[in-house]
Amino acid sequence: MKKLFLITAFIGGLLCACNSGDKLVYKDASASIEDRVEDLLSRMTLEEKIYQISQQCLGENDNINNNEGMNPVPLNPMIGSVIFMSEDIKVRNEFQKKAIEETRLGIPVIYGYDVIHGYRTIYPIPLAMACSWDPSMLEACTAVAAQEARQAGVDWVFAPMIDVARDARWGRIAEGSGEDPYTAAQFAVAAVKGFQGDNLTSDKKVASCLKHFVGYGASEAGRDYVYSEISDQSLWDTYLPPYEAAVKAGAQTLMSAFNDISGVPASANSYTMNTILRDMWKFDGFIVSDWGAVEQLINQGNAANPAEAALNALTAGVDMDMTDGVYIKNMEQLVADGKLDVKVIDEAVRRVLRVKFRLGLFENPYTPDVQENERILLASSKETAEKAAEETMVLLKNNNSILPLEGVKRIGLIGPMVKNQHDLLGSWLGHGHDEDVTTIMDAMTAEFPDAFINYAQGCDFDGEDKSGFNDAVRVANASDVVVLCLGEKQAWSGENASRSTILLPQIQRDLLETVAKTGKPVVLVLNNGRPLELSGMEPHTAAILEAWQPGISGGTPIAKVLNGKVNPSGKLCATFPYTSGQIPIYYNRRNPARKGTQGFYQDVTVEPMYPFGYGLSYTTYKYGTLKVSAEKVAVDGKLKAEISVTNMGKRAGKETVHWYITDPACSITRPMKELRYFEKAEIQPGETKVFTWDIDVAKDFSYVDAEGTRFLEAGDILVRVGDQTVKVVVE
Ligand code: GLC
């Protein structure tokens, strides 16, 4: 290797020398990015190119799922990128200095990290954010994450995760925006805007990374890293829409997924990465593989050995190899053996360099070492996270309006989540610190100053130890109302966190039943990273608040909902099944062949426990009559649909109107209903607000076929809000 290195260095020196006559265009900030890319590329040796399209790790690996074989090749300052796991800016700058000063061409490294829902100011998990139905809120949160990340030395975040998911057994449903393609697309665009803004060289912006391209959410039976059966039709109508929207919004990178897409793994899939992404969508950024996904092509049966895996991945479109060193270890030989044309490597290097130039890394390769309190957990950042968390709370049940708990004197606060901090952060907690989290206990104490709050843990999250039940019963008996705080540990969702059932552990369900037997009303508060099976728990409750994993705001938004300062406005972006056995169950499924009850389960209902779009409020809204501006419209016409909503209660509230369509007869069968627009607005008591959908028929009514061609056939289209439907004839 040493001899090879010396030869390379000599050739490199010659290359540099023969270019030395002209100025180093790649170092000229006034030159165009494309000119700088080409100039730099022309100066690079093969070895330098291969390192440029490889990524290793810098810092202590904090990703519990990928802790084997860190950096299988020695970390070399020629490396194109590192996953930067340290919070120490000095660590970043020291390594960057090596790259700039100790390599021949001084190409800056791009520092990536998993900033999924916050860098240090952790806001709610993405599944919760989508239940807010406020993409602008997500844009604000991702802007905070971008500022904290960039100023901590991270130029590039491995987010947003935009995989449509319909199987709550899959732990990664927590990381996305739920079951609907249109919803996922809206939140994907908002995240890209928040992360990237309109100036990537800003010290408050980062390059985003759409993941996991593509169809990872279809993982068989909710298991992780497995086969996904996806027809081209489903690929186009369900899994690609969020990616198309976010690529067109300017996302700079994507991450190729682990899953096998109907026989061709995502990380070796030229159709998705080259044909669709580059040829059809004209994407000019770069694709990084998921962790070790190149080498894993061997396990998946796509490659016989690491060299073949490297060849398959690169030629299919994976520009950068994440952490397994397969490109570094095999690519020179592939070229030497005539199996790989350097031009293919050049194109990958070109894409990586392009993003680096766009980020301004050649002009500003170092991160100013600003003290933490001037860039982390700023008051405005924490407020943004808290406001977001308030919007994500979904009220699932509120019998006899027991909530809000106004005037209640004795509150029994029970459950394993009450004094918990770590698990309220959720999966992929970035550099979130447990101590930053407000516990439910502290929040309730602050928000109910006149109430006597009695506490019992009752039980742990799982296990069989019921020794705390008696204390829980004592607390319940001494209270007017019980607030029972149950849920999931943060590691029970996220990556490598599939569960065979979406029931909470038996011990938690037993605690609920034991406390309910005291006869005291139980307000169940849930902190979890997936839809849960609640049908067996619901009868023992007076109210249920789905609070998800709210991040550092922790118990504060929960307590503010319980005391009425916040009127809950969240609505589900993913169906809550009646039983795990119903999975997959989602709102936008096709109609069955048989009407009536034929085809239904013989043992349980086919209806979910809580459907997509469901969520209660402390006020009530009366919907007026749905109106559409015309009964007939051309396929390229425009329409205006509107509906009034009146707040009938005494409390202001925010209501989301979901606009659906149905195409009852189409050459490609379409879902029984499809969300095509939504709007959330605050409505004061007694106020009537008119919600309007300005319909662009060709865009909003159309569908996409298995080749990605958007089409709209003449015929009826039903526009739907709630239980109202208006037919429009498309001519
Ligand atoms: C993980 C995840 C991916 C993450 C990457 C880097 O395995 O699948 O979402 O961005 O590796 O940590």
Side-chain angles (χ1 to χ4, degrees):
M1 191 63 173
K2 186 164 172 34
K3 189 174 173 220
L4 183 62
F5 180 73
L6 289 172
I7 294 167
T8 307
F10 174 69
I11 294 167
L14 284 176
L15 280 170
C16 215
C18 71
N19 283 298
S20 61
D22 57 8
K23 66 180 180 178
L24 298 177
V25 171
Y26 79 94
K27 294 196 175 201
D28 176 359
S30 67
S32 75
I33 285 180
E34 292 312 309
D35 288 348
R36 300 177 77 182
V37 166
E38 293 310 320
D39 175 67
L40 179 49
L41 185 62
S42 69
R43 300 172 189 276
M44 294 171 76
T45 64
L46 178 57
E47 185 190 39
E48 289 164 339
K49 293 175 182 176
I50 293 169
Y51 270 96
Q52 192 57 218
I53 59 175
S54 299
Q55 180 182 64
Q56 295 288 291
C57 295
L58 180 65
E60 283 304 308
N61 179 8
D62 59 3
N63 183 334
I64 52 172
N65 299 303
N66 300 300
N67 45 25
E68 74 288 341
M70 267 268 285
N71 291 351
V73 293
L75 185 54
N76 181 313
M78 281 195 293
I79 199 79
S81 173
V82 292
I83 301 180
F84 182 43
M85 295 170 171
S86 166
E87 295 177 81
D88 184 346
I89 290 171
K90 292 183 181 60
V91 171
R92 174 222 160 89
N93 288 341
E94 279 161 16
F95 187 73
Q96 190 72 303
K97 192 169 189 302
K98 288 181 185 295
I100 303 294
E101 298 181 3
E102 296 175 19
T103 66
R104 205 174 59 82
L105 294 167
I107 301 172
V109 172
I110 181 172
Y111 291 69
Y113 190 58
D114 288 292
V115 182
I116 311 303
H117 54 113
Y119 175 84
R120 172 74 184 274
T121 300
I122 306 302
Y123 50 89
I125 57 171
L127 188 65
M129 293 300 287
C131 290
S132 76
W133 298 98
D134 185 351
S136 69
M137 187 67 81
L138 179 62
E139 185 174 342
C141 287
T142 46
V144 167
Q147 171 265 315
E148 290 191 342
R150 193 70 185 265
Q151 292 177 2
V154 173
D155 317 299
W156 170 36
V157 295
F158 303 140
M161 190 277 210
I162 59 176
D163 299 317
V164 171
R166 293 163 164 173
D167 190 329
R169 293 170 296 182
W170 189 51
R172 306 203 75 167
I173 194 171
E175 303 172 43
S177 300
E179 68 193 41
D180 176 62
Y182 176 79
T183 308
Q186 304 314 304
F187 283 92
V189 170
V192 168
K193 287 179 179 173
F195 282 131
Q196 296 189 173
D198 51 18
N199 175 12
L200 277 172
T201 65
S202 160
D203 70 344
K204 296 185 176 63
K205 294 302 172 187
V206 293
S208 65
C209 181
L210 309 176
K211 71 183 188 182
H212 306 76
F213 193 63
V214 61
Y216 190 15
S219 283
E220 198 167 57
R223 289 191 299 274
D224 217 343
Y225 315 113
V226 295
Y227 183 80
S228 49
E229 184 54 71
I230 305 176
S231 67
D232 282 353
Q233 181 58 40
S234 296
L235 187 66
W236 279 101
D237 67 29
T238 301
Y239 299 104
L240 285 172
Y243 288 92
E244 183 172 13
V247 163
K248 290 180 177 168
Q252 289 298 299
T253 76
L254 283 83
M255 182 182 294
S256 68
F258 290 128
N259 56 299
D260 178 340
I261 305 174
S262 299
V264 182
S267 295
N269 200 304
S270 183
Y271 174 58
T272 53
M273 292 189 281
N274 287 328
T275 306
I276 295 174
L277 195 53
R278 286 159 173 147
D279 298 347
M280 294 175 74
W281 295 349
K282 309 303 178 199
F283 171 68
D284 71 356
F286 72 85
I287 299 174
V288 63
S289 75
D290 202 337
W291 190 296
V294 174
E295 194 163 38
Q296 289 165 16
L297 294 175
I298 301 168
N299 305 341
Q300 290 174 298
N302 171 270
N305 53 56
E308 203 172 290
L311 184 63
N312 292 356
L314 183 78
T315 51
V318 175
D319 302 304
M320 183 180 283
D321 170 27
M322 183 185 282
T323 67
D324 55 25
V326 167
Y327 282 13
I328 291 171
K329 288 186 279 190
N330 296 280
M331 215 146 261
E332 286 201 49
Q333 195 56 51
L334 284 166
V335 172
D337 295 346
K339 293 178 181 173
L340 176 60
D341 185 330
V342 181
K343 289 192 180 69
V344 181
I345 298 175
D346 287 353
E347 189 49 36
V349 174
R350 196 173 272 124
R351 293 165 182 155
V352 173
L353 295 179
R354 183 176 293 134
V355 173
K356 290 187 174 183
F357 280 115
R358 287 175 175 167
L359 281 164
L361 291 178
F362 285 79
E363 282 65 53
N364 296 297
Y366 302 108
T367 302
D369 199 349
V370 173
Q371 60 182 23
E372 240 188 38
N373 63 11
E374 292 177 20
R375 52 185 172 83
I376 292 282
L377 290 173
L378 304 177
S380 58
S381 304
K382 291 196 285 187
E383 186 184 356
T384 299
E386 185 174 320
K387 287 297 168 209
E390 290 173 2
E391 302 281 317
T392 65
M393 301 282 137
V394 184
L395 184 60
L396 297 176
K397 178 181 182 182
N398 191 15
N399 269 9
N400 307 317
S401 300
I402 186 172
L403 293 179
L405 297 175
E406 287 162 335
V408 173
K409 287 299 173 209
R410 300 179 303 161
I411 298 173
L413 204 46
I414 300 172
M417 203 62 88
V418 174
K419 293 189 173 181
N420 187 294
Q421 290 178 294
H422 181 66
D423 298 304
L424 292 178
L425 288 169
S427 56
W428 294 105
L429 45 87
H431 288 299
H433 294 191
D434 295 358
E435 66 271 16
D436 298 338
V437 178
T438 305
T439 65
I440 295 172
M441 185 71 190
D442 290 347
M444 291 294 287
T445 303
E447 291 298 329
F448 288 87
D450 302 328
F452 174 72
I453 294 180
N454 205 338
Y455 164 73
Q457 181 183 347
C459 68
D460 199 348
F461 286 94
D462 54 8
E464 295 169 5
D465 177 5
K466 297 192 174 185
S467 59
F469 276 33
N470 289 338
D471 194 30
V473 169
R474 176 190 60 78
V475 165
N477 284 325
S479 306
D480 302 317
V481 66
V482 171
V483 174
L484 183 63
C485 302
L486 303 177
E488 292 186 309
K489 296 178 79 71
Q490 65 88 231
W492 291 2
S493 57
E495 183 180 354
N496 192 16
S498 300
R499 299 175 77 83
S500 67
T501 170
I502 58 173
L503 278 168
L504 283 178
Q506 187 69 52
I507 189 87
Q508 293 193 44
R509 289 180 277 132
D510 289 349
L511 177 63
L512 166 60
E513 289 191 35
T514 304
V515 166
K517 281 193 182 111
T518 65
K520 297 300 175 80
V522 177
V523 173
L524 176 62
V525 174
L526 294 168
N527 296 115
N528 43 292
R530 58 164 41 88
L532 296 174
E533 178 181 328
L534 300 175
S535 51
M537 299 174 75
E538 184 273 335
H540 304 289
T541 67
I544 302 176
L545 178 66
E546 175 52 73
W548 302 111
Q549 287 153 338
I552 61 167
S553 309
T556 302
I558 294 169
K560 286 186 173 177
V561 165
L562 295 186
N563 74 1
K565 276 185 189 171
V566 170
N567 184 356
S569 63
K571 297 190 176 206
L572 296 178
C573 68
T575 300
F576 274 49
Y578 186 81
T579 69
S580 305
Q582 290 180 325
I583 294 171
I585 180 171
Y586 48 97
Y587 90 91
N588 42 352
R589 56 191 184 277
R590 262 49 178 208
N591 275 312
R594 290 283 172 95
K595 290 192 176 298
T597 59
Q598 283 192 287
F600 283 19
Y601 294 117
Q602 295 181 14
D603 54 345
V604 295
T605 174
V606 289
E607 292 306 318
M609 182 74 194
Y610 300 113
F612 177 88
Y614 177 85
L616 302 175
S617 169
Y618 288 154
T619 188
T620 53
Y621 300 102
K622 183 171 181 292
Y623 279 58
T625 303
L626 172 60
K627 298 184 184 111
V628 185
S629 56
E631 292 179 357
K632 294 184 178 6
V633 68
V635 287
D636 59 355
K638 305 283 188 232
L639 273 179
K640 187 182 286 288
E642 64 178 43
I643 192 163
S644 67
V645 179
T646 303
N647 180 344
M648 305 300 284
K650 296 185 177 57
R651 187 188 291 270
K654 295 178 182 175
E655 174 66 343
T656 300
V657 171
H658 288 98
W659 296 86
Y660 296 90
I661 63 168
T662 294
D663 185 339
C666 180
S667 55
I668 295 174
T669 61
R670 292 178 63 167
M672 55 174 66
K673 67 179 189 177
E674 303 164 57
L675 183 68
R676 286 303 174 95
Y677 182 66
F678 59 83
E679 183 186 353
K680 183 174 191 177
E682 182 161 30
I683 311 177
Q684 296 306 316
E687 179 191 8
T688 294
K689 197 172 201 58
V690 176
F691 287 76
T692 302
W693 178 21
D694 290 313
I695 299 169
D696 173 346
V697 170
K699 174 173 74 70
D700 296 319
F701 285 179
S702 61
Y703 208 54
V704 63
D705 68 15
E707 284 76 45
T709 306
R710 190 152 284 280
F711 72 97
L712 178 59
E713 294 167 345
D716 296 351
I717 290 283
L718 309 180
V719 176
R720 307 171 63 171
V721 173
D723 55 6
Q724 297 191 58
T725 294
V726 171
K727 184 175 80 174
V728 174
V729 178
V730 176
E731 297 175 317

